[in-house]
């Protein structure tokens, strides 16, 4: 009951004209950003953050705008997957497997409608889960002391890379580089400038937003220039936009299964939307692929991953809001915005600023409805806008990034810092070093150090306080188990690769 | 090979970082002081990057020569924009930014110039006039702000 009352408060916050306008704007531009190949949720949100600062929106309105963009990207990513066979963003990769074959068979309208409805189902289930579980987690997190937070941050860095694929050393290195950058500037406790080389521009430290826009937007431009300028891709021609509603209804169980799996994947640290859609697709394939139709245009193969990635993106908001520890790249970028607006996410956020949390939740319910409308009847508009070529799109992205960063401080020094971070981001991506842990380190570094020093002041310099509480011990054990698992997986992959190399 | 070089570069940065970090001390105040956390960060960074030098993983495929040229040109354009934005004013600097980047990305020169002209004025009107972010129309070179 309490949740419903709080939700009512949330709707009264969300239903102001400004917030509704921002919500609709966010949904529209999010869908477009998601649909354009090369621009994903992380870039989209990173470019928009400085602009929300410049316009002086309060934290609630900024968060509503960015979350609408985030959700919109998740809806929009599927459009180019289905029509062009190019995923609009990373989580939409799985949608190409059955979505593109469907549109080749002339069922593009069905595929778009099924994936639109699946996105709606997944995202709505995730928002319901968010309203139920986030307050519970926040209530538990109130018992965290400084030493426990230190342990939690360590766990966040160790797990953000996820289990699969990359070398865990690279993930940790990325987080450590972020922490190194976070210590630049005046030490807030002793007042001593660190690593500034006497440059007064650096006394305030590196503004995370400036670094983020460089890391994501500028490095993306450099990536595109490095690979051969893309050959033009032609969208599949569509004669009718009217879907067959029976085919949507036939995928309802796939949608539900996909949503639940995706939601769990989203809440877990280090998984995020990409893993959510991969897991949903492979589980659905195991459950329903009786006649070998998956991969050849099976509607359930479109419904499950789309429900999964949208549910995961909603689920990823839970650890970000209730613990202050984001579970995915885009939520990390949103955390950057909250910290820059002097809002510290975490358990206290639910007590001190319930209107922010519940305003956001309420607007997410509304965003889903707006996105369903945008993505079903108005789908034709987006397919036309999607045809903007890269050579025209990326320069505009660069210009908007510059405007946003310049408007934070009116200093061209920040522009140079942004470009430098673009080069850094490009190099790290080339070395397969994920940027998300770096962002997390940059964001949480200050807080991590403060919690460590607070804990040590409490114990008067006795290091054993770090493992004095059952919460921190549990977190360290989980971290160690996770690291052991990912090292084991990496070694196994390495061995398999070697065996394959010997066979060839 | 690239990974080893990257590991070595990160190692050097981390070593310098740790060296400077260990030198900071506060005369009074908190128990831990400003240098311990930098050591907690710097030393594992050195160890991990050293292990990348010894046991590199993954491969890097660098762009070909024309790719390097395009990237170099783009960086020159971006840094040039940062250097001349206050001097030229927003619309003129942005015109060069968009037009030149468009050409670098493989757009037709005439189309890129038109895009630059239209978008620089559009963005200036949108941000300065409609949305109220102050952006100088003419820069310091022309006696503007």
């Amino acid at each position: 009951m309490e949740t419903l009352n709080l939700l009512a408060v949330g709707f009264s916050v969300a239903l102001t004209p400004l917030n509704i306008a921002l919500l609709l704007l966010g949904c529209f531009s999010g869908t477009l950003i998601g649909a354009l190949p090369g621009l994903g949720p992380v870039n989209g949100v990173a470019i928009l953050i400085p602009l929300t600062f410049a316009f002086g929106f309060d934290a609630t309105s900024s968060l509503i705008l960015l979350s609408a963009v985030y959700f919109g990207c998740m809806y929009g990513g599927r459009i180019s997957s289905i029509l062009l066979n190019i995923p609009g963003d990373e989580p939409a990769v799985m949608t190409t497997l059955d979505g593109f074959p469907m549109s080749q068979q002339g069922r593009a309208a069905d595929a778009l409608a099924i994936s639109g409805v699946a996105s709606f189902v997944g995202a709505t289930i995730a928002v319901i889960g968010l309203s139920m579980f986030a307050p519970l987690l926040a209530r538990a997190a109130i018992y965290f002391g400084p030493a426990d937070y230190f342990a939690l941050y360590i766990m966040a860095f160790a797990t953000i890379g996820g289990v699969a694929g990359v070398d865990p050393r690279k993930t940790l290195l990325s987080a450590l580089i972020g922490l190194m950058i976070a210590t630049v500037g005046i030490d807030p406790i002793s007042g001593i400038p660190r690593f500034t080389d006497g440059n007064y521009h650096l006394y305030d430290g590196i503004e995370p937003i400036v670094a983020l826009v460089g890391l994501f937007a500028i490095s993306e431009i450099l990536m595109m220039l490095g690979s051969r300028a893309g050959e033009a891709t032609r969208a599949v021609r569509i004669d009718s936009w009217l879907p067959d509603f029976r085919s949507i209804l036939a995928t309802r169980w796939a949608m539900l299964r996909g949503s639940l799996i995706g939601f769990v994947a989203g809440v877990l640290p280090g998984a995020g939307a990409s893993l959510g859609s991969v897991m949903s697709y492979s589980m659905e394939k195991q459950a329903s692929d009786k006649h070998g139709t998956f991969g050849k245009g099976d509607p359930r193969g479109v419904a499950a991953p789309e429900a999964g990635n949208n549910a995961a993106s909603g689920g990823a908001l839970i650890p970000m809001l209730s613990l202050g520890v984001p579970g995915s790249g885009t939520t990390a970028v949103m955390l950057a915005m909250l910290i820059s607006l002097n809002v510290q996410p975490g358990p206290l956020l639910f007590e001190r600023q319930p209107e922010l949390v519940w305003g956001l939740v309420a607007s997410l319910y509304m965003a889903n409805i707006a996105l369903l409308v945008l993505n079903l009847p108005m789908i034709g508009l987006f397919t036309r806008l999607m045809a903007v070529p890269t050579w025209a799109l990326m320069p505009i992205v660069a210009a908007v990034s510059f405007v946003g960063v310049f408007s934070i401080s009116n200093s061209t020094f920040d522009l140079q810092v942004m470009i430098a971070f673009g080069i850094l981001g490009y190099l790290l991506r080339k070395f397969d070093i994920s940027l998300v842990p770096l962002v997390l380190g940059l964001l949480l570094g200050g807080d991590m150090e403060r919690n460590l020093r607070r804990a040590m002041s409490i114990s008067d310099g006795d290091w054993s306080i770090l493992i004095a509480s059952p919460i921190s011990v549990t977190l360290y054990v989980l971290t160690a188990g996770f690291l052991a698992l990912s090292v084991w997986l990496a070694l196994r992959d390495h061995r398999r690769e070697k065996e394959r190399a010997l066979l060839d | 090979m690239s990974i080893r070089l990257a590991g070595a570069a990160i190692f050097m940065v981390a070593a310098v970082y740790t060296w400077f970090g260990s030198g900071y001390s506060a005369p009074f105040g908190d128990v831990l002081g400003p240098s311990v956390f930098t050591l907690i960060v710097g030393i594992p960074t050195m160890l991990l990057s050293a292990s990348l030098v010894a046991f590199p993983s993954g491969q890097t495929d660098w762009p070909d020569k024309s790719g390097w040229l395009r990237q170099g040109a783009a960086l020159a354009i971006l840094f040039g924009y940062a250097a001349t934005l206050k001097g030229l004013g927003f619309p003129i600097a942005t015109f060069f930014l968009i037009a030149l980047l468009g050409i670098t990305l493989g757009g037709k020169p005439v189309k890129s110039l038109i895009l630059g002209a239209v978008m620089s004025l559009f963005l200036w009107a949108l941000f300065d006039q409609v949305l109220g972010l102050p952006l100088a129309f003419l820069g310091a070179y022309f006696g503007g702000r």
Side-chain angles (χ1 to χ4, degrees):
Chain A
M1 236 25 244
E2 196 197 340
T3 307
L4 288 183
N5 287 338
L6 287 164
L7 254 184
V9 175
F11 273 103
S12 69
V13 174
L15 283 170
T16 59
L18 173 70
N19 287 345
I20 294 176
L22 288 176
L23 183 81
L24 294 177
L25 180 74
C27 288
F28 180 83
S29 44
T31 309
L32 188 60
I33 290 169
L36 290 163
L39 278 184
V42 187
N43 315 40
V45 173
I47 295 166
L48 285 175
I49 286 179
L51 294 175
T52 63
F53 282 176
F55 299 134
F57 298 141
D58 63 10
T60 312
S61 303
S62 311
L63 195 60
I64 288 176
L65 173 67
L66 293 184
S67 308
V69 172
Y70 178 36
F71 271 46
C73 284
M74 291 294 161
Y75 274 75
R78 73 190 210 284
I79 300 176
S80 50
S81 296
I82 291 171
L83 295 180
L84 301 176
N85 202 20
I86 302 172
D89 49 27
E90 205 190 324
V93 174
M94 304 310 286
T95 313
T96 57
L97 298 181
D98 278 286
F100 187 64
M102 272 185 86
S103 63
Q104 280 179 317
Q105 294 158 15
R107 291 193 288 157
D110 286 357
L112 287 170
I114 288 169
S115 56
V117 174
S119 299
F120 176 76
V121 172
T124 305
I125 287 179
V127 177
I128 294 172
L130 174 66
S131 357
M132 290 191 322
F133 295 123
L136 290 182
L137 194 56
R139 219 169 291 153
I142 284 188
Y143 301 105
F144 279 42
D148 305 325
Y149 268 105
F150 185 72
L152 181 68
Y153 289 148
I154 289 188
M155 182 166 103
F157 294 134
T159 55
I160 186 85
V163 258
V166 283
D167 187 341
R169 289 176 301 169
K170 292 185 178 174
T171 314
L172 287 176
L173 260 182
S174 172
L176 286 164
I177 294 172
L179 289 174
M180 283 166 59
I181 299 168
T183 51
V184 173
I186 290 185
D187 168 30
I189 298 176
S190 64
I192 289 176
R194 293 187 289 187
F195 310 108
T196 55
D197 196 25
N199 185 337
Y200 71 93
H201 283 303
L202 290 173
Y203 274 28
D204 277 344
I206 306 273
E207 170 65 60
I209 304 294
V210 175
L212 284 182
V213 178
L215 282 173
F216 291 111
I218 302 295
S219 82
E220 186 65 42
I221 296 176
L222 292 176
M223 283 301 247
M224 285 189 173
L225 287 163
S227 61
R228 181 56 233 149
E231 58 276 19
T233 38
R234 298 269 313 258
V236 174
R237 272 192 48 120
I238 299 168
D239 302 318
S240 156
W241 289 108
L242 207 65
D244 175 3
F245 287 95
R246 271 167 309 175
S247 70
I248 300 178
L249 204 62
T251 59
R252 61 190 181 280
W253 296 114
M255 287 178 192
L256 278 178
R257 279 191 291 263
S259 306
L260 293 178
I261 296 164
F263 179 70
V264 174
V267 179
L268 293 178
S274 304
L275 191 66
S277 68
V278 173
M279 277 169 59
S280 307
Y281 184 83
S282 43
M283 300 282 244
E284 187 59 32
K285 193 173 168 188
Q286 281 182 2
S288 327
D289 192 12
K290 304 280 191 282
H291 308 286
T293 47
F294 272 60
K296 295 177 192 131
D298 191 309
R300 289 168 300 185
V302 176
E306 270 310 307
N309 79 37
N310 283 276
S313 56
L317 287 172
I318 293 181
M320 195 272 268
L321 288 173
S322 56
L323 296 175
V325 176
S328 70
T330 317
T331 47
V333 175
M334 284 160 72
L335 179 71
M337 180 207 68
L338 286 177
I339 290 178
S340 302
L341 288 169
N342 274 325
V343 176
Q344 183 67 50
L348 294 177
L349 183 67
F350 284 73
E351 293 199 346
R352 286 193 195 143
Q353 287 169 296
E355 74 287 348
L356 182 141
V357 176
W358 293 102
L360 171 68
V361 173
S363 58
L364 289 178
Y365 281 105
M366 287 157 41
N368 272 324
I369 294 170
L371 282 166
L372 188 66
V373 175
L374 279 177
N375 278 278
L376 288 183
M378 291 172 65
I379 188 82
L381 179 66
F382 287 108
T383 56
R384 232 158 282 146
L385 287 173
M386 217 171 62
V388 179
T390 307
W391 68 263
L393 176 68
M394 292 320 274
I396 298 171
V397 168
V400 175
S401 306
F402 275 124
V403 173
V405 167
F406 184 67
S407 64
I408 293 179
S409 62
N410 271 316
S411 105
T412 43
F413 179 75
D414 278 351
L415 299 184
Q416 287 162 356
V417 172
M418 173 179 104
I419 303 168
F421 269 94
I423 301 172
L424 176 70
Y426 172 75
L427 290 175
L428 292 179
R429 283 168 74 176
K430 276 284 169 193
F431 296 126
D432 272 340
I433 298 179
S434 158
L435 299 179
V436 174
L438 191 157
V439 170
L440 209 60
L442 177 60
L443 288 176
L444 300 180
D447 217 40
M448 185 174 173
E449 180 175 12
R450 225 169 297 129
N451 275 302
L452 174 69
R453 286 161 80 168
R454 206 176 292 150
M456 294 302 278
S457 315
I458 294 171
S459 71
D460 204 24
D462 183 0
W463 287 92
S464 67
I465 189 170
L466 293 181
I467 48 168
S469 93
I471 298 179
S472 66
V473 173
T474 314
L475 291 171
Y476 286 125
V477 170
L478 286 175
T479 309
F482 185 90
L483 278 181
L485 179 69
S486 53
V487 168
W488 179 73
L489 283 175
L491 286 177
R492 195 193 61 180
D493 286 354
H494 189 67
R495 213 175 310 131
R496 277 199 191 155
E497 233 167 73
K498 260 194 182 157
E499 276 164 17
R500 208 168 300 149
L502 285 177
L503 285 177
D504 285 343
Chain B
M1 199 58 215
S2 306
I3 301 280
R4 283 179 199 246
L5 280 177
I10 298 173
F11 182 85
M12 298 295 280
V13 172
V16 172
Y17 176 91
T18 314
W19 169 252
F20 276 103
S22 65
Y24 295 119
S25 64
F28 53 86
D30 68 322
V31 179
L32 212 54
S35 79
V36 176
F37 189 75
T38 62
L39 298 183
I40 293 178
V41 173
I43 293 170
T45 314
M46 287 166 69
L47 292 176
L48 278 172
S49 52
S51 91
L52 269 190
V53 177
F55 311 104
S57 73
Q59 270 130 17
T60 337
D61 53 325
W62 293 107
D64 55 7
K65 202 173 160 201
S66 67
W68 285 116
L69 280 176
R70 284 195 300 272
Q71 287 170 335
L75 285 177
I77 296 164
L78 294 173
F79 275 116
Y81 183 77
T84 55
L85 175 61
K86 283 195 169 167
L88 292 174
F90 182 81
I92 298 177
T94 309
F95 163 72
F96 283 115
L97 174 76
I98 294 179
L100 294 176
L101 270 188
I103 294 170
T104 320
L105 279 159
K108 295 238 163 52
V110 178
K111 280 186 178 174
S112 302
L113 289 172
I114 295 171
L115 180 79
V118 173
M119 283 311 294
S120 58
L121 286 174
F122 171 76
L123 288 176
W124 178 79
L126 177 70
F127 288 116
D128 188 282
Q129 300 292 304
V130 180
L131 298 171
L133 283 188
L135 294 169
F137 189 79
L138 285 176
Y141 300 161
F142 309 103
R145 279 180 277 174

